[in-house]
Amino acid sequence: MTAGERQRWPSAETWVDVAWALFAAANLVGMVVFASWETVPFHFIWVSLTLLYGFRVWPAKPTAITLACVILGTGALILVDVRHGAQPIDEITEVPLMSAMFLAMVWHARRRLTVMSEIERVSEANLQLLERERRFVQDASHELRTPITVALGHIELIERTATDPELREDAEVAVEELLRLRSLAERLLTLASLDEAEPLHLAPADVDGLVADALRRWGPAPRTWVRGELTAGVARVDRDRLALALDALVDNAVKHTNPGDRIELAASRRNGTVRLAVSDSGAGIPSDSAERIFDRFARADSSRSREAGGVGLGLAIVKAIAEAHWGTVRARSSPGGGSTFELALPVSGPDGSPSGEPSRQA
């Protein structure tokens, strides 16, 4: 027994066992004193033992010793009462019957314990597998960034200096693919960091200003940009992650629209919720893809997304950031009718503090 275990002994469970032992001893005395009423304390002993074991599963050896002591004690006292004529001989049959009831409880309890142990083992194995997978993704993404950057620099140099049109065309294809790989590595790193459930760095932020900044950043893209309603005001959010989610939504809209198509950004506050919306007049989302577009590596239109450089992780990042803020993201779309993606973040109180666990706040 370690020093810590000695300090904690006797534990609460030990006191429960001691209390039951005293209760059983008192009932054994009752069986002697009130011989004509011995059936009452007799059943008190057996029922209390069964109930206690139902809440606490003892190891096999203590269980066998306790059962043997109860069988011998109650059986011997019943025989004494029978010998003195206080009870009929058939009362002795109660002992094996109650023993059978207790053994049934033992069987069910130990089976339940075995099942729970197996569930815990499988859960622990799954957690370890997920952790190894997350570490692999993170490490692989880190290791890919440097060689991709080096290769991209060399290929871009070849593209700029090549005089052979065919070689220049091949270099352009290589540059596009390397840029896709770099984007994939960066987004995998982002998802890995979000999966670590790190605390949000919450601080008051101008949500309308975030939307205006996004419009300025994306303004050079050849689309018809529309500034929608901006009435969200200041909210306590993780500004960097929210900006990342907004960029991912705008990037998704750009990829699924053509030059001249309309993209609208808006922010509002309604019913205690800050809502950011990105709408476009693109081709929309096929109905059979609407349920899975927020899954990792999912694409509503795989061929178009690949031509546009998509890696199928942007909307998954948006979903992860929304859930980290205890919020949601949803899409409204119809084929040929454009799409609207809305990010909803709950707030509470006049200061705009997100509802949820305070421990997540920085």
Side-chain angles (χ1 to χ4, degrees), residues 59-107:
K61 186 175 179 180
T63 301
I65 293 173
T66 302
L67 179 59
C69 290
V70 173
I71 289 174
L72 292 175
T74 56
L77 291 178
I78 288 178
L79 288 176
V80 170
D81 290 340
V82 169
R83 182 178 178 183
H84 289 87
Q87 293 291 337
I89 187 62
D90 57 1
E91 282 294 319
I92 196 65
T93 59
E94 289 286 334
V95 176
L97 288 175
M98 300 303 289
S99 301
M101 181 183 71
F102 178 73
L103 288 173
M105 171 62 76
V106 170
W107 181 74

Short mmCIF file of all heavy atoms in Angstrom, two decimals, residues 59-107:
data_model
loop_
_atom_site.label_atom_id
_atom_site.label_comp_id
_atom_site.label_asym_id
_atom_site.label_seq_id
_atom_site.Cartn_x
_atom_site.Cartn_y
_atom_site.Cartn_z
N PRO A 59 -14.28 -8.35 -5.80
CA PRO A 59 -13.50 -9.42 -6.43
C PRO A 59 -14.03 -10.79 -6.02
O PRO A 59 -14.80 -10.93 -5.05
CB PRO A 59 -12.07 -9.18 -5.90
CG PRO A 59 -12.05 -7.74 -5.51
CD PRO A 59 -13.43 -7.42 -5.04
N ALA A 60 -13.62 -11.82 -6.75
CA ALA A 60 -14.19 -13.16 -6.57
C ALA A 60 -13.94 -13.71 -5.15
O ALA A 60 -14.86 -14.26 -4.52
CB ALA A 60 -13.60 -14.12 -7.60
N LYS A 61 -12.73 -13.52 -4.64
CA LYS A 61 -12.41 -14.11 -3.34
C LYS A 61 -13.23 -13.47 -2.20
O LYS A 61 -13.85 -14.20 -1.41
CB LYS A 61 -10.91 -13.98 -3.06
CG LYS A 61 -10.46 -14.69 -1.79
CD LYS A 61 -8.94 -14.62 -1.64
CE LYS A 61 -8.49 -15.32 -0.35
NZ LYS A 61 -7.01 -15.26 -0.21
N PRO A 62 -13.25 -12.13 -2.06
CA PRO A 62 -14.10 -11.55 -1.02
C PRO A 62 -15.57 -11.91 -1.17
O PRO A 62 -16.29 -12.09 -0.18
CB PRO A 62 -13.87 -10.04 -1.18
CG PRO A 62 -12.54 -9.92 -1.83
CD PRO A 62 -12.45 -11.10 -2.74
N THR A 63 -16.04 -12.02 -2.44
CA THR A 63 -17.44 -12.39 -2.67
C THR A 63 -17.71 -13.79 -2.13
O THR A 63 -18.72 -14.03 -1.45
CB THR A 63 -17.76 -12.33 -4.17
OG1 THR A 63 -17.52 -11.01 -4.66
CG2 THR A 63 -19.22 -12.71 -4.42
N ALA A 64 -16.81 -14.75 -2.43
CA ALA A 64 -17.00 -16.13 -1.98
C ALA A 64 -16.95 -16.21 -0.44
O ALA A 64 -17.77 -16.92 0.18
CB ALA A 64 -15.93 -17.03 -2.59
N ILE A 65 -16.02 -15.48 0.18
CA ILE A 65 -15.91 -15.51 1.64
C ILE A 65 -17.17 -14.93 2.28
O ILE A 65 -17.73 -15.49 3.24
CB ILE A 65 -14.66 -14.74 2.10
CG1 ILE A 65 -13.39 -15.47 1.64
CG2 ILE A 65 -14.65 -14.54 3.61
CD1 ILE A 65 -12.11 -14.70 1.90
N THR A 66 -17.63 -13.76 1.76
CA THR A 66 -18.84 -13.13 2.31
C THR A 66 -20.05 -14.04 2.17
O THR A 66 -20.85 -14.21 3.11
CB THR A 66 -19.10 -11.79 1.60
OG1 THR A 66 -17.96 -10.94 1.75
CG2 THR A 66 -20.32 -11.10 2.18
N LEU A 67 -20.21 -14.65 0.98
CA LEU A 67 -21.35 -15.53 0.75
C LEU A 67 -21.32 -16.73 1.69
O LEU A 67 -22.34 -17.12 2.28
CB LEU A 67 -21.36 -16.00 -0.71
CG LEU A 67 -22.48 -16.96 -1.11
CD1 LEU A 67 -23.84 -16.32 -0.88
CD2 LEU A 67 -22.32 -17.40 -2.56
N ALA A 68 -20.12 -17.31 1.87
CA ALA A 68 -19.99 -18.46 2.76
C ALA A 68 -20.34 -18.09 4.21
O ALA A 68 -21.04 -18.84 4.91
CB ALA A 68 -18.57 -19.02 2.69
N CYS A 69 -19.88 -16.90 4.65
CA CYS A 69 -20.17 -16.47 6.02
C CYS A 69 -21.67 -16.27 6.23
O CYS A 69 -22.24 -16.68 7.26
CB CYS A 69 -19.42 -15.19 6.33
SG CYS A 69 -17.62 -15.39 6.47
N VAL A 70 -22.35 -15.66 5.22
CA VAL A 70 -23.78 -15.41 5.34
C VAL A 70 -24.55 -16.73 5.32
O VAL A 70 -25.50 -16.92 6.10
CB VAL A 70 -24.26 -14.45 4.23
CG1 VAL A 70 -25.78 -14.32 4.26
CG2 VAL A 70 -23.62 -13.08 4.39
N ILE A 71 -24.15 -17.64 4.43
CA ILE A 71 -24.84 -18.94 4.36
C ILE A 71 -24.70 -19.69 5.68
O ILE A 71 -25.68 -20.20 6.25
CB ILE A 71 -24.27 -19.79 3.20
CG1 ILE A 71 -24.71 -19.20 1.85
CG2 ILE A 71 -24.74 -21.24 3.31
CD1 ILE A 71 -24.08 -19.90 0.66
N LEU A 72 -23.46 -19.75 6.20
CA LEU A 72 -23.22 -20.48 7.44
C LEU A 72 -23.92 -19.81 8.62
O LEU A 72 -24.53 -20.49 9.46
CB LEU A 72 -21.71 -20.58 7.70
CG LEU A 72 -20.92 -21.46 6.72
CD1 LEU A 72 -19.42 -21.36 7.01
CD2 LEU A 72 -21.39 -22.91 6.80
N GLY A 73 -23.84 -18.48 8.69
CA GLY A 73 -24.44 -17.78 9.82
C GLY A 73 -25.95 -17.92 9.84
O GLY A 73 -26.55 -18.30 10.87
N THR A 74 -26.61 -17.59 8.73
CA THR A 74 -28.07 -17.66 8.70
C THR A 74 -28.56 -19.10 8.78
O THR A 74 -29.55 -19.41 9.47
CB THR A 74 -28.61 -16.99 7.42
OG1 THR A 74 -28.01 -17.60 6.26
CG2 THR A 74 -28.31 -15.50 7.40
N GLY A 75 -27.85 -20.01 8.09
CA GLY A 75 -28.26 -21.42 8.13
C GLY A 75 -28.14 -22.01 9.52
O GLY A 75 -29.04 -22.74 9.99
N ALA A 76 -27.04 -21.70 10.22
CA ALA A 76 -26.84 -22.24 11.56
C ALA A 76 -27.90 -21.72 12.53
O ALA A 76 -28.45 -22.49 13.34
CB ALA A 76 -25.44 -21.87 12.05
N LEU A 77 -28.23 -20.43 12.43
CA LEU A 77 -29.22 -19.87 13.33
C LEU A 77 -30.62 -20.42 13.05
O LEU A 77 -31.42 -20.63 13.98
CB LEU A 77 -29.23 -18.35 13.24
CG LEU A 77 -27.97 -17.65 13.80
CD1 LEU A 77 -28.05 -16.15 13.62
CD2 LEU A 77 -27.77 -18.00 15.28
N ILE A 78 -30.93 -20.68 11.80
CA ILE A 78 -32.23 -21.29 11.49
C ILE A 78 -32.30 -22.71 12.06
O ILE A 78 -33.32 -23.14 12.63
CB ILE A 78 -32.48 -21.31 9.96
CG1 ILE A 78 -32.76 -19.89 9.46
CG2 ILE A 78 -33.67 -22.21 9.61
CD1 ILE A 78 -32.97 -19.78 7.98
N LEU A 79 -31.22 -23.46 11.95
CA LEU A 79 -31.19 -24.81 12.51
C LEU A 79 -31.35 -24.77 14.03
O LEU A 79 -32.02 -25.64 14.62
CB LEU A 79 -29.87 -25.51 12.14
CG LEU A 79 -29.73 -25.93 10.67
CD1 LEU A 79 -28.35 -26.51 10.40
CD2 LEU A 79 -30.81 -26.96 10.30
N VAL A 80 -30.73 -23.75 14.66
CA VAL A 80 -30.91 -23.61 16.12
C VAL A 80 -32.39 -23.37 16.45
O VAL A 80 -32.95 -23.97 17.38
CB VAL A 80 -30.03 -22.47 16.66
CG1 VAL A 80 -30.39 -22.15 18.11
CG2 VAL A 80 -28.55 -22.84 16.55
N ASP A 81 -33.04 -22.48 15.67
CA ASP A 81 -34.46 -22.19 15.91
C ASP A 81 -35.32 -23.42 15.65
O ASP A 81 -36.30 -23.69 16.37
CB ASP A 81 -34.91 -21.04 15.02
CG ASP A 81 -34.30 -19.72 15.43
OD1 ASP A 81 -33.85 -19.62 16.58
OD2 ASP A 81 -34.27 -18.78 14.59
N VAL A 82 -34.95 -24.19 14.63
CA VAL A 82 -35.71 -25.43 14.33
C VAL A 82 -35.56 -26.42 15.49
O VAL A 82 -36.52 -27.07 15.92
CB VAL A 82 -35.22 -26.04 13.00
CG1 VAL A 82 -35.80 -27.45 12.83
CG2 VAL A 82 -35.63 -25.15 11.83
N ARG A 83 -34.33 -26.53 16.01
CA ARG A 83 -34.07 -27.47 17.11
C ARG A 83 -34.88 -27.11 18.34
O ARG A 83 -35.35 -27.99 19.08
CB ARG A 83 -32.58 -27.47 17.41
CG ARG A 83 -32.20 -28.45 18.51
CD ARG A 83 -30.70 -28.44 18.72
NE ARG A 83 -30.34 -29.35 19.80
CZ ARG A 83 -29.10 -29.50 20.26
NH1 ARG A 83 -28.10 -28.79 19.72
NH2 ARG A 83 -28.84 -30.33 21.23
N HIS A 84 -35.06 -25.79 18.59
CA HIS A 84 -35.82 -25.36 19.75
C HIS A 84 -37.33 -25.25 19.47
O HIS A 84 -38.09 -24.81 20.32
CB HIS A 84 -35.32 -24.00 20.26
CG HIS A 84 -33.97 -24.07 20.90
ND1 HIS A 84 -32.80 -23.96 20.18
CD2 HIS A 84 -33.59 -24.25 22.21
CE1 HIS A 84 -31.76 -24.05 21.00
NE2 HIS A 84 -32.21 -24.23 22.25
N GLY A 85 -37.71 -25.64 18.27
CA GLY A 85 -39.13 -25.65 17.93
C GLY A 85 -39.70 -24.29 17.61
O GLY A 85 -40.93 -24.14 17.51
N ALA A 86 -38.83 -23.27 17.42
CA ALA A 86 -39.33 -21.93 17.11
C ALA A 86 -39.71 -21.78 15.65
O ALA A 86 -40.49 -20.88 15.29
CB ALA A 86 -38.29 -20.89 17.50
N GLN A 87 -39.14 -22.64 14.77
CA GLN A 87 -39.41 -22.55 13.34
C GLN A 87 -39.55 -23.96 12.77
O GLN A 87 -38.92 -24.92 13.28
CB GLN A 87 -38.26 -21.82 12.61
CG GLN A 87 -38.13 -20.35 12.95
CD GLN A 87 -39.28 -19.51 12.42
OE1 GLN A 87 -39.96 -19.91 11.47
NE2 GLN A 87 -39.50 -18.36 13.06
N PRO A 88 -40.36 -24.13 11.71
CA PRO A 88 -40.46 -25.44 11.07
C PRO A 88 -39.20 -25.74 10.27
O PRO A 88 -38.46 -24.84 9.87
CB PRO A 88 -41.69 -25.30 10.18
CG PRO A 88 -41.78 -23.84 9.89
CD PRO A 88 -41.29 -23.15 11.13
N ILE A 89 -38.97 -27.03 9.99
CA ILE A 89 -37.76 -27.46 9.30
C ILE A 89 -37.65 -26.93 7.88
O ILE A 89 -36.56 -26.71 7.35
CB ILE A 89 -37.68 -29.01 9.30
CG1 ILE A 89 -36.32 -29.46 8.74
CG2 ILE A 89 -38.82 -29.60 8.48
CD1 ILE A 89 -35.14 -29.03 9.52
N ASP A 90 -38.84 -26.67 7.24
CA ASP A 90 -38.78 -26.21 5.85
C ASP A 90 -38.23 -24.79 5.71
O ASP A 90 -37.94 -24.33 4.60
CB ASP A 90 -40.15 -26.30 5.18
CG ASP A 90 -41.22 -25.51 5.93
OD1 ASP A 90 -40.89 -24.88 6.93
OD2 ASP A 90 -42.39 -25.54 5.46
N GLU A 91 -38.05 -24.07 6.83
CA GLU A 91 -37.46 -22.73 6.76
C GLU A 91 -36.02 -22.78 6.26
O GLU A 91 -35.51 -21.80 5.71
CB GLU A 91 -37.50 -22.07 8.14
CG GLU A 91 -38.86 -21.52 8.53
CD GLU A 91 -39.30 -20.36 7.66
OE1 GLU A 91 -38.45 -19.49 7.33
OE2 GLU A 91 -40.48 -20.35 7.26
N ILE A 92 -35.36 -23.94 6.46
CA ILE A 92 -33.97 -24.06 6.03
C ILE A 92 -33.82 -23.94 4.51
O ILE A 92 -32.76 -23.59 3.99
CB ILE A 92 -33.36 -25.40 6.53
CG1 ILE A 92 -31.82 -25.34 6.45
CG2 ILE A 92 -33.89 -26.57 5.73
CD1 ILE A 92 -31.20 -24.32 7.34
N THR A 93 -34.93 -24.20 3.76
CA THR A 93 -34.87 -24.10 2.29
C THR A 93 -34.67 -22.66 1.83
O THR A 93 -34.30 -22.41 0.67
CB THR A 93 -36.15 -24.66 1.66
OG1 THR A 93 -37.28 -23.92 2.17
CG2 THR A 93 -36.33 -26.13 2.00
N GLU A 94 -34.94 -21.69 2.72
CA GLU A 94 -34.75 -20.29 2.35
C GLU A 94 -33.28 -19.98 2.07
O GLU A 94 -32.96 -19.12 1.26
CB GLU A 94 -35.25 -19.38 3.48
CG GLU A 94 -36.76 -19.34 3.66
CD GLU A 94 -37.42 -18.52 2.56
OE1 GLU A 94 -36.76 -17.63 2.00
OE2 GLU A 94 -38.60 -18.79 2.27
N VAL A 95 -32.40 -20.69 2.75
CA VAL A 95 -30.97 -20.40 2.58
C VAL A 95 -30.49 -20.67 1.15
O VAL A 95 -29.90 -19.78 0.51
CB VAL A 95 -30.13 -21.17 3.61
CG1 VAL A 95 -28.63 -20.94 3.35
CG2 VAL A 95 -30.50 -20.75 5.03
N PRO A 96 -30.73 -21.86 0.57
CA PRO A 96 -30.29 -22.06 -0.82
C PRO A 96 -31.03 -21.17 -1.82
O PRO A 96 -30.45 -20.76 -2.82
CB PRO A 96 -30.58 -23.55 -1.08
CG PRO A 96 -31.55 -23.95 -0.04
CD PRO A 96 -31.25 -23.12 1.16
N LEU A 97 -32.32 -20.87 -1.52
CA LEU A 97 -33.05 -20.00 -2.43
C LEU A 97 -32.45 -18.59 -2.47
O LEU A 97 -32.25 -18.01 -3.54
CB LEU A 97 -34.52 -19.93 -2.01
CG LEU A 97 -35.37 -21.18 -2.26
CD1 LEU A 97 -36.77 -21.00 -1.69
CD2 LEU A 97 -35.44 -21.47 -3.76
N MET A 98 -32.16 -18.04 -1.30
CA MET A 98 -31.55 -16.70 -1.25
C MET A 98 -30.13 -16.72 -1.81
O MET A 98 -29.69 -15.76 -2.44
CB MET A 98 -31.56 -16.18 0.18
CG MET A 98 -32.95 -16.04 0.80
SD MET A 98 -34.05 -14.99 -0.18
CE MET A 98 -33.32 -13.38 0.12
N SER A 99 -29.43 -17.84 -1.59
CA SER A 99 -28.09 -17.97 -2.16
C SER A 99 -28.15 -17.95 -3.68
O SER A 99 -27.32 -17.32 -4.35
CB SER A 99 -27.43 -19.26 -1.68
OG SER A 99 -27.34 -19.28 -0.27
N ALA A 100 -29.16 -18.65 -4.24
CA ALA A 100 -29.31 -18.67 -5.70
C ALA A 100 -29.61 -17.28 -6.24
O ALA A 100 -29.09 -16.87 -7.29
CB ALA A 100 -30.42 -19.65 -6.08
N MET A 101 -30.46 -16.52 -5.52
CA MET A 101 -30.77 -15.16 -5.94
C MET A 101 -29.50 -14.30 -5.94
O MET A 101 -29.24 -13.53 -6.88
CB MET A 101 -31.80 -14.55 -5.00
CG MET A 101 -32.21 -13.13 -5.37
SD MET A 101 -33.38 -12.40 -4.19
CE MET A 101 -32.29 -12.18 -2.77
N PHE A 102 -28.70 -14.45 -4.90
CA PHE A 102 -27.48 -13.67 -4.83
C PHE A 102 -26.50 -14.06 -5.93
O PHE A 102 -25.87 -13.20 -6.55
CB PHE A 102 -26.82 -13.85 -3.46
CG PHE A 102 -25.52 -13.13 -3.32
CD1 PHE A 102 -25.48 -11.75 -3.19
CD2 PHE A 102 -24.32 -13.82 -3.32
CE1 PHE A 102 -24.28 -11.07 -3.07
CE2 PHE A 102 -23.11 -13.15 -3.20
CZ PHE A 102 -23.09 -11.77 -3.07
N LEU A 103 -26.37 -15.36 -6.19
CA LEU A 103 -25.46 -15.81 -7.25
C LEU A 103 -25.91 -15.30 -8.62
O LEU A 103 -25.09 -15.01 -9.49
CB LEU A 103 -25.37 -17.33 -7.25
CG LEU A 103 -24.59 -17.93 -6.07
CD1 LEU A 103 -24.70 -19.45 -6.08
CD2 LEU A 103 -23.12 -17.51 -6.13
N ALA A 104 -27.24 -15.20 -8.84
CA ALA A 104 -27.73 -14.63 -10.10
C ALA A 104 -27.30 -13.18 -10.22
O ALA A 104 -26.90 -12.72 -11.30
CB ALA A 104 -29.25 -14.75 -10.16
N MET A 105 -27.38 -12.43 -9.11
CA MET A 105 -26.92 -11.05 -9.12
C MET A 105 -25.42 -10.98 -9.40
O MET A 105 -24.96 -10.13 -10.18
CB MET A 105 -27.23 -10.39 -7.78
CG MET A 105 -26.60 -9.01 -7.59
SD MET A 105 -27.18 -7.80 -8.79
CE MET A 105 -28.81 -7.45 -8.09
N VAL A 106 -24.65 -11.89 -8.81
CA VAL A 106 -23.21 -11.93 -9.05
C VAL A 106 -22.93 -12.16 -10.53
O VAL A 106 -22.09 -11.48 -11.13
CB VAL A 106 -22.55 -13.03 -8.20
CG1 VAL A 106 -21.10 -13.24 -8.62
CG2 VAL A 106 -22.62 -12.66 -6.72
N TRP A 107 -23.65 -13.09 -11.13
CA TRP A 107 -23.43 -13.41 -12.55
C TRP A 107 -23.73 -12.20 -13.44
O TRP A 107 -22.94 -11.86 -14.32
CB TRP A 107 -24.31 -14.60 -12.95
CG TRP A 107 -24.13 -14.99 -14.39
CD1 TRP A 107 -23.08 -15.65 -14.94
CD2 TRP A 107 -25.04 -14.72 -15.46
NE1 TRP A 107 -23.25 -15.83 -16.29
CE2 TRP A 107 -24.46 -15.26 -16.64
CE3 TRP A 107 -26.27 -14.09 -15.53
CZ2 TRP A 107 -25.09 -15.18 -17.87
CZ3 TRP A 107 -26.90 -14.00 -16.76
CH2 TRP A 107 -26.31 -14.55 -17.92
#
